[in-house]
Amino acid sequence: MSVRLFGAAVFAIAALYTLHSQTYQITFGDVLGPSVFPLIVGIPMMILSASLVIFPTGQVEWPGRDRLWRQAVALAAFVGYTLVMEELGFPIATAALIAIVGIVMGGAPWRAIALGAVFGPGLWALFDKVLGLPLDFLGTLFG
Amino acid sequence: MEVLSLIGNGFLVALTPLNIGLLLMGCFVGTLLGALPGLGPVNGVAVLIPLTFAFGFDPTSSLILLCAVYFGCMYGGRISSILLNIPGDEPAIMTTLDGYPMAVQGQAANALAISGVASFVGATIAVIGLSLFAPVLARAAIHFGPADYFALYILAFATIGGIAGVDPRKTLLSALIGLMLATVGIDPISGVPRYTMDNFHLYDGIQPIVALVGLFAISEILLLLEKTAKERPKAIKVDRWLPQWSAIWPTRWAMLRGSGVGFVAGVLPGAGASLGSFMAYVFEKQKSNAKGTFGKGDPRGVAAPEAGNNAAAGGALIPMLSLGVPGSGTTAVLLAMLISLNVQPGPLLFERQPDLVWGLVASLYLANIALLILNLPMIGIFTRLMMTPTWALMPVVAAITFVGVYGISNSIFDLELMVFFGVIGYIMRKLDISLVPLVLGLLLGGDMERALRRAMSISAGDWGILIASPISITLYVLTAGFLALSVWLAVRDHKQSKAERLTEG
């Protein structure tokens, strides 16, 4: 079922992609133009993805609920990190990221928090001070 | 003789204090990454690429560091195969077959020593091959016209991953998704923005580095989160660290044969180290398994695949450097890094940047020696570091990945794109769709389209130009051969699994 769903999603994207390619106009001196290559890519994509919908192969085992929530929390931590990194500053955001991912990976909470507390500022010091990559220490919220 | 003087100049580049330091660091970190179950060379190199950018080294030093990591990973993959029965990466799978039984029988030290020396022999033979053949191939490739390049890219897509036996449709679809992503951004010929959805972040296109770090590193973390419940088995204790020469010497022919087979597998675009170690093992088994000892702890069953996978890793650099077409997943990642550093691999690289090419080749000779020295007496340190728990290691890897990508562009959008690709990578890996063709499509798509459009401009719109030269015809025949082979393998696997299901039922 998963392969079929994937095939259907790719088919829809490929169809939109192919259709949209026709809006790009050929300019003077450009024999093929910007729309032909997307056509060459999009049409076989549609054929292959349709064939996966009709004749799917492979067995897919998705994780059970006990694992799925861990992945969801980790993903939320990743997205959250991108949203708050510039506001909170690098050390605090990174410490939180490491602690959360450490906990969902099965580490004892206090150990994961300690790991974050060490590596959050540690990585900031390494990148900002040693490697010269400017990273906000306090962020826009505190700075 | 010309090669010798070029390599001599290469050593002058490789022997600067900075490059030596990077080389040693890369060898150490690479061996460790390779030894950690789950983090193979592709992921290892992908995680470290953003760091390399953060360091701000020149392309030669960056490439030396990452190639040392690549070779180190290939060496390190065997440690967890032998001691834990968990291959660090795909090419190390064959090493578990005889390596782990040897360790169980109290031969762990010998198995590690044999595999270490075999890795050295395989990798060194591959680097010698690289020194000799890459310039020849590059010289031949200078005669390639745009239509021939187009044919070459098609060959690369047809071969990469295709022979591994997974559904060829999925592999091809993955490559097409990559090509589709490559068309995002401003069209370099007409200047029209394509598929940017009016988002100015996408005008520059999708950065291959951002995509591949997401695809490999972030998806790896999501995959690991499925497995945390499983307790890692205890590693088999290694009683002594100094190898016994009497155990290594009888495997010398297996090492040499494995190196030869692996090297050829590596040079073929797309085949890579997995096929190298597999073919080396199968070849050696057919040759030497008279007493049926393979799979039960035969030292030759450790020597051949280890020599094979390391020779393939070196061989895969040949098409990457001389044609700009990677021979394996890891070389695809290295290619992405080079392109991001404004270095265009291909035939002209050897003429325009001899310091980079020959500095790299010389550093690979040195890396092999460093890795042999690191891997024989220091194996105890790697074994202990290998036991670092996943919950402590992966969050730090994740943080380094984020800051590394942020460091390249200072763009939060790139971080979001990386997470997006992480999810895509996870789904594709679950569905057994190889990610390497996607990366390859994203990397080569722009050049492939340019080659096609240039060829069509030359012919004033006549499609016949694509099959007008003997080079392109040869390349299309090879492509057809590879496609036929991969379809045949897929049909055979399908029949085999069907037969197994019937006998089980």
Side-chain angles (χ1 to χ4, degrees):
Chain A
M1 196 60 208
S2 305
V3 177
R4 282 207 162 109
L5 277 176
F6 179 80
V10 174
F11 183 85
I13 294 168
L16 283 174
Y17 175 79
T18 313
L19 214 61
H20 199 69
S21 71
Q22 295 312 302
T23 58
Y24 303 125
Q25 299 296 318
I26 297 178
T27 51
F28 178 72
D30 184 10
V31 177
L32 217 53
S35 65
V36 175
F37 191 74
L39 214 63
I40 295 174
V41 173
I43 291 171
M45 250 178 108
M46 284 160 69
I47 297 168
L48 282 171
S49 51
S51 92
L52 279 184
V53 175
I54 302 165
F55 308 109
T57 51
Q59 295 287 322
V60 189
E61 269 181 51
W62 293 102
R65 264 191 203 164
D66 55 328
R67 299 283 131 200
L68 214 55
W69 76 263
R70 286 172 191 267
Q71 291 173 323
V73 172
L75 214 51
F78 292 155
V79 176
Y81 183 75
T82 64
L83 296 177
V84 302
M85 198 246 261
E86 286 180 342
E87 276 75 29
L88 288 182
F90 183 77
I92 297 176
T94 309
L97 176 79
I98 292 176
I100 294 169
V101 178
I103 291 169
V104 291
M105 283 218 151
W110 67 271
R111 281 187 178 178
I113 291 168
L115 187 77
V118 171
F119 275 94
L123 287 177
W124 174 82
L126 174 72
F127 281 94
D128 190 277
K129 295 293 164 199
V130 180
L131 301 176
L133 181 79
L135 289 171
D136 245 1
F137 186 75
L138 286 174
T140 47
L141 208 61
F142 307 109
Chain B
M1 287 318 278
E2 191 198 348
V3 168
L4 284 181
S5 80
L6 288 166
I7 292 180
N9 287 337
F11 274 105
L12 292 180
V13 176
L15 285 170
T16 60
L18 171 71
N19 288 345
I20 287 278
L22 290 176
L23 183 93
L24 292 175
M25 191 174 91
C27 289
F28 185 82
V29 174
T31 309
L32 187 61
L33 287 175
L36 292 164
L39 266 180
V42 186
N43 300 320
V45 174
V47 166
L48 285 176
I49 279 184
L51 257 187
T52 319
F53 275 92
F55 280 117
F57 296 133
D58 65 74
T60 310
S61 299
S62 304
L63 196 61
I64 287 176
L65 172 67
L66 289 178
C67 283
V69 171
Y70 176 31
F71 272 42
C73 282
M74 301 309 294
Y75 269 71
R78 71 200 215 287
I79 300 174
S80 52
S81 299
I82 291 169
L83 297 181
L84 293 173
N85 203 21
I86 304 172
D89 54 3
E90 205 182 308
I93 292 172
M94 303 315 285
T95 312
T96 58
L97 300 180
D98 282 281
Y100 186 67
M102 270 185 88
V104 170
Q105 293 157 20
Q107 296 276 315
N110 280 341
L112 286 168
I114 289 169
S115 59
V117 175
S119 300
F120 174 77
V121 172
T124 304
I125 287 177
V127 180
I128 295 172
L130 173 68
S131 323
L132 296 176
F133 297 129
V136 178
L137 195 58
R139 232 169 286 148
I142 286 181
H143 303 293
F144 279 33
D148 303 324
Y149 265 106
F150 184 73
L152 181 69
Y153 292 135
I154 294 205
L155 173 66
F157 289 118
T159 53
I160 202 136
I163 344 184
V166 289
D167 188 343
R169 290 176 305 163
K170 290 182 178 175
T171 311
L172 214 54
L173 192 60
S174 173
L176 287 167
I177 294 173
L179 287 174
M180 177 182 83
L181 294 171
T183 54
V184 174
I186 295 196
D187 171 26
I189 295 175
S190 65
V192 176
R194 289 187 297 183
Y195 307 107
T196 53
M197 291 169 272
D198 289 332
N199 184 336
F200 73 92
H201 290 292
L202 289 174
Y203 276 39
D204 269 347
I206 294 167
Q207 298 303 316
I209 297 281
V210 173
L212 71 89
V213 172
L215 286 169
F216 290 106
I218 300 294
S219 74
E220 185 69 43
I221 294 167
L222 293 175
L223 274 180
L224 276 173
L225 281 163
E226 286 183 11
K227 296 177 192 158
T228 43
K230 284 184 193 159
E231 282 289 319
R232 197 186 285 181
K234 273 219 160 84
I236 291 174
K237 282 248 157 43
V238 185
D239 44 357
R240 68 196 145 71
W241 304 115
L242 283 177
Q244 279 177 308
W245 187 245
S246 59
I248 299 170
W249 185 243
T251 60
R252 62 192 182 282
W253 297 116
M255 287 180 192
L256 289 175
R257 280 191 289 264
S259 304
V261 173
F263 179 71
V264 174
V267 177
L268 294 174
S274 305
L275 187 78
S277 69
F278 174 75
M279 275 170 52
Y281 185 84
V282 171
F283 185 73
E284 193 57 34
K285 193 177 170 185
Q286 278 171 354
K287 190 127 188 69
S288 320
N289 195 22
K291 294 179 185 158
T293 48
F294 269 62
K296 294 170 190 160
D298 192 311
R300 289 168 300 184
V302 177
E306 270 309 312
N309 87 40
N310 285 276
L317 287 171
I318 295 179
M320 193 273 260
L321 288 172
S322 55
L323 300 176
V325 172
S328 68
T330 318
T331 44
V333 174
L334 289 173
L335 182 70
M337 188 207 66
L338 279 179
I339 291 172
S340 303
L341 288 166
N342 284 328
V343 176
Q344 186 62 50
L348 295 176
L349 182 70
F350 284 74
E351 283 179 18
R352 286 188 190 149
Q353 283 168 298
D355 279 3
L356 183 139
V357 176
W358 295 104
L360 172 70
V361 171
S363 74
L364 291 177
Y365 282 108
L366 297 174
N368 273 323
I369 297 167
L371 280 163
L372 187 69
I373 296 169
L374 276 177
N375 272 271
L376 290 181
M378 287 173 68
I379 199 85
I381 296 172
F382 289 116
T383 314
R384 247 165 276 151
L385 286 173
M386 195 177 77
M387 301 316 284
T388 311
T390 314
W391 71 262
L393 182 81
M394 290 318 282
V396 178
V397 168
I400 292 176
T401 308
F402 272 91
V403 68
V405 167
Y406 185 72
I408 297 173
S409 58
N410 271 321
S411 154
I412 290 289
F413 178 79
D414 278 355
L415 290 185
E416 287 164 353
L417 203 61
M418 178 180 83
V419 176
F420 171 75
F421 274 106
V423 177
I424 300 284
Y426 171 76
I427 293 171
M428 287 177 65
R429 285 166 86 168
K430 290 299 286 183
L431 299 178
D432 212 11
I433 302 172
S434 172
L435 299 176
V436 172
L438 192 159
V439 172
L440 206 62
L442 182 57
L443 274 179
L444 302 181
D447 288 336
M448 189 175 176
E449 183 178 4
R450 266 192 294 278
L452 175 69
R453 285 165 77 172
R454 215 170 286 153
M456 295 304 280
S457 292
I458 294 169
S459 72
D462 177 12
W463 289 88
I465 192 171
L466 295 181
I467 44 166
S469 83
I471 298 174
S472 59
I473 292 170
T474 313
L475 291 168
Y476 284 123
V477 169
L478 280 173
T479 306
F482 272 113
L483 278 180
L485 182 69
S486 62
V487 169
W488 178 73
L489 284 173
V491 170
R492 193 195 60 175
D493 285 354
H494 184 67
K495 273 187 188 159
Q496 244 171 23
S497 57
K498 210 172 180 180
E500 274 165 22
R501 270 204 302 275
L502 279 176
T503 44
E504 275 168 21

